């Protein structure tokens, strides 16, 4: 999932807010999110 999302983000098929949703859903980790977008940003988990 990580590699696919990374490619899609680089091609502008996926936005940052969509990647944040994948973190919340547990599909990628916070570290993978940061690697994809290349910046630090906190993502809050939904309860």
């Amino acid at each position: 999932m990580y590699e696919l999302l990374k490619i899609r983000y680089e091609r502008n098929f996926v936005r940052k807010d969509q990647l944040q949703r994948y973190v919340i859903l547990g599909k990628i980790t916070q570290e993978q999110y940061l690697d994809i977008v290349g910046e630090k940003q906190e993502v809050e988990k939904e309860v």
Side-chain angles (χ1 to χ4, degrees):
M1 181 61 80
Y2 163 75
E3 291 295 328
L4 177 64
L5 290 173
K6 186 171 184 174
I7 291 167
R8 287 184 176 181
Y9 181 77
E10 290 169 354
R11 294 180 180 173
N12 295 318
F13 295 147
V14 178
R15 299 182 314 267
K16 288 180 185 178
D17 63 312
Q18 292 170 317
L19 288 175
Q20 290 172 350
R21 186 72 180 153
Y22 282 105
V23 173
I24 292 169
L25 294 173
K27 299 297 183 181
I28 60 173
T29 66
Q30 180 71 30
E31 291 78 23
Q32 290 171 325
Y33 168 84
L34 295 175
D35 185 53
I36 291 171
V37 299
E39 65 184 49
K40 185 173 183 178
Q41 183 167 342
E42 293 296 321
V43 176
E44 294 183 20
K45 294 246 180 198
E46 289 184 2
V47 178

